[in-house]
Amino acid sequence: MVSFEPVRTEWDIVRAAHAELLVTDLEVSRRFYVDLLGFVVTEQAEGALFLRGYEETAHHSLVLRQSDRPAVTHVAFRVAAEPDLELLQAHFAAHDLPSRWVTDEPGQGRGLRLQDGSGFPLEFYHSMTRQPSLLRSFDRYRGAHVMRLDHFNLFVPDVESSFEQFRQLGFRCSEYTSTDGPEQQVWGAWLYRKPAVHDIALTNGDGPRLHHLGFWVADTQSILRACDVLAAAGLSAAIERGPGRHGVSNAFFLYLRDPDGHRIELYTSDYYTGDPDQMPLRWSVSDPRRGTFWGHAAPASWFEEGTLAIGPEGNLVELSTARLRDRPPTAT
Amino acid sequence: MVSFEPVRTEWDIVRAAHAELLVTDLEVSRRFYVDLLGFVVTEQAEGALFLRGYEETAHHSLVLRQSDRPAVTHVAFRVAAEPDLELLQAHFAAHDLPSRWVTDEPGQGRGLRLQDGSGFPLEFYHSMTRQPSLLRSFDRYRGAHVMRLDHFNLFVPDVESSFEQFRQLGFRCSEYTSTDGPEQQVWGAWLYRKPAVHDIALTNGDGPRLHHLGFWVADTQSILRACDVLAAAGLSAAIERGPGRHGVSNAFFLYLRDPDGHRIELYTSDYYTGDPDQMPLRWSVSDPRRGTFWGHAAPASWFEEGTLAIGPEGNLVELSTARLRDRPPTAT
Amino acid sequence: MVSFEPVRTEWDIVRAAHAELLVTDLEVSRRFYVDLLGFVVTEQAEGALFLRGYEETAHHSLVLRQSDRPAVTHVAFRVAAEPDLELLQAHFAAHDLPSRWVTDEPGQGRGLRLQDGSGFPLEFYHSMTRQPSLLRSFDRYRGAHVMRLDHFNLFVPDVESSFEQFRQLGFRCSEYTSTDGPEQQVWGAWLYRKPAVHDIALTNGDGPRLHHLGFWVADTQSILRACDVLAAAGLSAAIERGPGRHGVSNAFFLYLRDPDGHRIELYTSDYYTGDPDQMPLRWSVSDPRRGTFWGHAAPASWFEEGTLAIGPEGNLVELSTARLRDRPPTAT
Amino acid sequence: MVSFEPVRTEWDIVRAAHAELLVTDLEVSRRFYVDLLGFVVTEQAEGALFLRGYEETAHHSLVLRQSDRPAVTHVAFRVAAEPDLELLQAHFAAHDLPSRWVTDEPGQGRGLRLQDGSGFPLEFYHSMTRQPSLLRSFDRYRGAHVMRLDHFNLFVPDVESSFEQFRQLGFRCSEYTSTDGPEQQVWGAWLYRKPAVHDIALTNGDGPRLHHLGFWVADTQSILRACDVLAAAGLSAAIERGPGRHGVSNAFFLYLRDPDGHRIELYTSDYYTGDPDQMPLRWSVSDPRRGTFWGHAAPASWFEEGTLAIGPEGNLVELSTARLRDRPPTAT
């Protein structure tokens, strides 16, 4: 049984803030993310593309780095102040999780990098170069009008143990799915620091792997337009699931697979979770409206495929088998 | 090979105008069509419910009639003037298709009823009682905000022969799908009288059967809201296919199954076809974007299931096997 | 008193089809229409820009021609067949309205050009070069996603007499505004050939002048986006009226003034008018919901300003004073 | 000159959470808020109506209380924990602002009530009875689909002094308008606790008075639908300003006046402000895009009219003249 009790921490993690993906052809990726989806290019340097959404004033929320194989190198959380990083370093050390400082990311101050309890590479950082907001530059909007990074979703082999790890870091739970019967084992969990449904979601599966990066768009129209634009450009195969309405989070969503197979969610219209008496909402993992409120089944790929992680030392992170074996009974 | 050449006729068929479905529980159907989808009730009489959309000033575009089994009794086209009906009667007689007059439909003048070349029950009529438009009664709008009937879609065993029949009646072809190879046999056809993509579509399949009735809604939001409303009411199983963008017609669509399994399409945003040099657009039946531009496959039920027809004498219309056996190669 | 009785004609006018505006700086106009609103360029030749909407397969629906002063040279209607043009020529001759043939418009067959009873330059034509539809080229969509020309709106000094002229040409009336009291003089009229609310509207005012060209867009979102894009580009002054909901037509609208002051309407979501018993809908000219259903007053410029016309001989068309002097009582 | 430096406080104000309006006919107000706009009724008791939005799990965000004259009795902020209330009490006492405990509000724990530096009645509270979220009850949605309370906007005579008061309470500034010239006096300010554009806005004007209550809706369509529904119900006069896009906040908005003249904003689609390096965005008060990005002028009523406040002792709060006399140069 997990505890849902919020933990008050000395440090203050603000939100999910950026991620870095390795891609095998930067120009092909650029066409997908920039030309079609409408991400903004802050900088192209050293074999990497630094992207942000129209409303973001941070240097980047997504780094695409040329490599010989697809992978994720880290997902990063922003903290409220520099000293929070030392507090986190000590916390992880106390849990036998070694970390190290990274200081060579363009546009960004030092980052604390580590593999978490499941082995997944996380980063924490405070400072980043500011860029102008393009929120009101509607004449520059293209494609899906991507606004900002919203959340990460990870496949983890033991959801309950990863859940506890993030709870200790100060995350609260907005919604979760669990098995039926007396045990009610947690199958998926949506955890937040900013007062929305999540900054990170944990999904039962062989892992750790990145399930997807979620980006906020302004409205449902942006998501329909993304489908139209991708299909017109001959990339309808990039549309993996949706558009549809999630039961969990109530958001309107679309899942895409980028040219390297990395999964991207376009996401909008969840709800406010900042009240002190906010309570986690449980869904049975066998309720089909959990995933898509309208009853549509997710494809098998959605439960099976994800992005492998590269650790801080360049090592490929080994996978463990999911503790809860089966996918939801309602999956195809 | 079919001819696409428009035929100038003495009569003037205006548009697809109403249909009558037999349902097994009128109160259950009422909840679906009126309470959830937002159809307007013009009249409930003699075991039947006469419905229209918000903009319609005709007495009804959909009749639901209590019966012991689901079926369609007729789909009806409106003609420009009363004498057009005698001209059509003579035309059908010349093709050995006997017809008879029907004079007992509430709110409607006499109708010419017959089984067409495939055996499907059609009706033609001119006059109908007018009702107030509720187009500007936004405070009465509910559910999907259904505006008006748009089209019929029939399963027919021999699309090319049905195509020729409707061409002789004055219908023009906006788009069609055909098999690849030198023969290019027509697999589906979209035929119109009003200058939109269709009043009637013909789909290869065991038939004749009604594939679906298409109703116009004002925008894509109406379709997303229909999904949300049905799912909230516990009827997500009614959502058979979509929402999505059609390749053919470019319309945004949703297919629903009513409580008796009758298929209803909510449809919006196709295009104008009234120009004199309008040319039919061909799609290969093996192009997956044909059905859903975004690449989604239609479910098997969409190719297999339809509503049986009752002939003018109360007879169940016999089915013939589809001439082109296979469903599109891209179907699941 | 006007007659609303439809007139059956020997010729068949299909729809409002194109217009030509004189502009004083073609590059400035190009930025407005092409870069910001998203019109498609078919051809640029001989000091003129030939534009169309995304769904249009005709060579052009809007011609912008470089000149030393802004004006409109003609609005043009398409007819169903070439011989319709001779029939129209004879009709106009019988009404002492001389016409002449124009054969030098790029992409277009011969046109019959004349000044109508009010002096306004009209054109009728049948043939035009076909272009590919870009309806499904969503990756090329820009700005307001303009789909097609929908209608013309003219200031005429004597609405009732112009109304009768268009009725004799086969136009039917969908809606009209009239003064209160026993006379009920027609103040504005919406007349159609295609089964929508209008191909041409007549507005009481000093004239004849062009009030505006109306272009169809797919949805209300396209109109909101047009406002955002224009404002972001520093052209918020181009937004004259709206966005809003018309009472007349029920359409969602936006009025813009192009760099030369020509008025353009973006327009969507009116209704079907093709039924044989369609009846004209009357509005009192003193009902504020007539113009904007939400009660917003139109600015003074909307009642006063329009584009002067150049006749077939290059002459500036003289204005007559409006017969009904006052603007609607509800105008600011 | 104001300071924009965030202040770290011992207490934690979570967000703008509810307000109470006195209305003169509760049934007339109920029709406006519940039947037309779609607020949810939690409870009707003791001459008051307790309302919430579809996603709200708190007992109420808007109280309408029958009275003999329209007024606002308080706007209330929720705090993270009960002891925060004593800390606030001490803080206000140190600033010579006496407060008292209120314990008789249905559905709510004790509240700390006081008149702030400008004389406006504020409340702070921690606990409130939970209600079920109706976020997924789409079949119950009506009217504008109001989701939740978003913010308060007050007329205050001295914006800079009120700004400093809220800064000391822990509020940060997202955007502000100021006069041109070397002094740059603050004319309006948007201040937040939750990471959105604001929980409270301060507007230069005779005050203190309530300018408006802002409620969040899910999308722009909800706002257009609200206009349509109100106009259809004969209440177009309730539409005071908009719909439009704000420059400040980038939100899409609509201002309504309820049956007693209280001003309500429907508001959607602003942006995230929770980053530690978030910087206030300045607008010149003479920039017309500040108010409506599209350039529309606000009506005079918007600058002049507001709701009078009743103090904790039932006293009518006296008004002081605005320190900056003029309305923005761009106002009509």
Side-chain angles (χ1 to χ4, degrees), chain B residues 104-118:
Chain B
D104 59 354
E105 287 198 72
Q108 183 187 329
R110 65 176 182 159
L112 185 70
R113 200 77 74 81
L114 74 149
Q115 283 181 266
D116 78 350
S118 77

Side-chain angles (χ1 to χ4, degrees), chain C residues 220-221 223-225 227-228 231-234 236-237 239 241-243 245 252 254 289 293-296, chain D residues 220-221 223-225 227-228 231-234 236-237 239 241-243 245 252 254 289 293-296:
Chain C
T220 58
Q221 295 295 319
I223 285 176
L224 304 186
R225 193 173 51 246
C227 293
D228 285 337
S236 59
I239 302 172
R241 180 183 170 196
R245 167 87 58 195
F252 196 78
L254 178 71
R289 302 194 305 176
F293 190 60
W294 305 338
H296 299 62
Chain D
T220 58
Q221 295 296 319
I223 285 176
L224 304 185
R225 194 173 49 247
C227 293
D228 285 338
S236 60
I239 302 173
R241 181 183 170 196
R245 169 84 61 195
F252 195 79
L254 176 71
R289 302 196 304 177
F293 190 60
W294 305 339
H296 299 61

Side-chain angles (χ1 to χ4, degrees), chain A residues 209-230:
Chain A
R209 290 177 293 163
L210 177 65
H211 189 278
H212 68 261
L213 303 177
F215 289 91
W216 184 266
V217 296
D219 48 28
T220 58
Q221 295 294 320
S222 298
I223 284 176
L224 304 185
R225 194 172 50 246
C227 293
D228 285 337
V229 167
L230 288 168

Side-chain angles (χ1 to χ4, degrees), chain D residues 99 249 303:
Chain D
S99 57
S249 83
F303 295 101

Side-chain angles (χ1 to χ4, degrees), chain D residues 116 118 120 152-159 162 187 200-212 257 263 300-308 319-320 322:
Chain D
D116 80 349
S118 76
F120 197 85
F152 312 125
N153 186 313
L154 308 184
F155 273 130
V156 290
D158 183 340
V159 170
S162 289
W187 201 93
I200 189 159
L202 306 169
T203 298
N204 178 69
D206 297 346
R209 288 178 295 163
L210 176 65
H211 189 278
H212 68 262
R257 302 297 289 274
R263 187 181 287 108
S301 61
W302 203 85
F303 295 101
E304 292 167 2
E305 300 174 12
T307 294
L308 294 174
L319 302 188
S320 302

Side-chain angles (χ1 to χ4, degrees), chain A residues 124-194:
Chain A
F124 298 84
Y125 70 108
H126 170 65
S127 74
M128 187 170 264
T129 307
R130 281 175 57 85
Q131 297 291 324
S133 164
L134 298 180
L135 181 56
R136 294 167 187 87
S137 299
F138 296 101
D139 49 343
R140 293 186 52 176
Y141 278 29
R142 292 291 178 268
H145 302 187
V146 174
M147 287 292 132
R148 62 177 185 266
L149 179 71
D150 185 77
H151 63 264
F152 312 125
N153 185 314
L154 307 184
F155 273 131
V156 291
D158 184 340
V159 170
E160 296 199 348
S161 130
S162 289
F163 181 112
E164 175 62 14
Q165 167 190 263
F166 281 102
R167 189 178 73 93
Q168 294 291 346
L169 288 169
F171 287 75
R172 296 171 64 186
C173 177
S174 58
E175 307 196 20
Y176 66 103
T177 60
S178 63
T179 58
D180 295 322
E183 285 198 34
Q184 294 208 352
Q185 290 177 293
V186 177
W187 201 93
W190 285 257
L191 307 174
Y192 65 99
R193 285 293 306 165
K194 68 174 177 288

Side-chain angles (χ1 to χ4, degrees), chain B residues 80-128:
Chain B
E82 279 295 333
D84 288 333
L85 298 176
E86 271 80 17
L87 296 170
L88 282 161
Q89 186 182 38
H91 171 80
F92 288 120
H95 287 73
D96 291 324
L97 294 171
S99 57
R100 63 183 187 88
W101 298 103
V102 179
T103 55
D104 59 354
E105 287 198 72
Q108 183 187 329
R110 65 176 182 159
L112 185 70
R113 200 77 74 81
L114 74 149
Q115 283 181 266
D116 78 350
S118 77
F120 198 86
L122 305 182
E123 180 178 290
F124 298 85
Y125 70 108
H126 171 65
S127 73
M128 187 170 263

Side-chain angles (χ1 to χ4, degrees), chain A residues 42-43 52 56-60 107 128-134:
Chain A
T42 298
E43 186 180 346
R52 68 185 200 278
E56 289 181 313
T57 55
H59 183 270
H60 58 264
M128 187 170 264
T129 307
R130 281 175 57 85
Q131 297 291 324
S133 164
L134 298 180

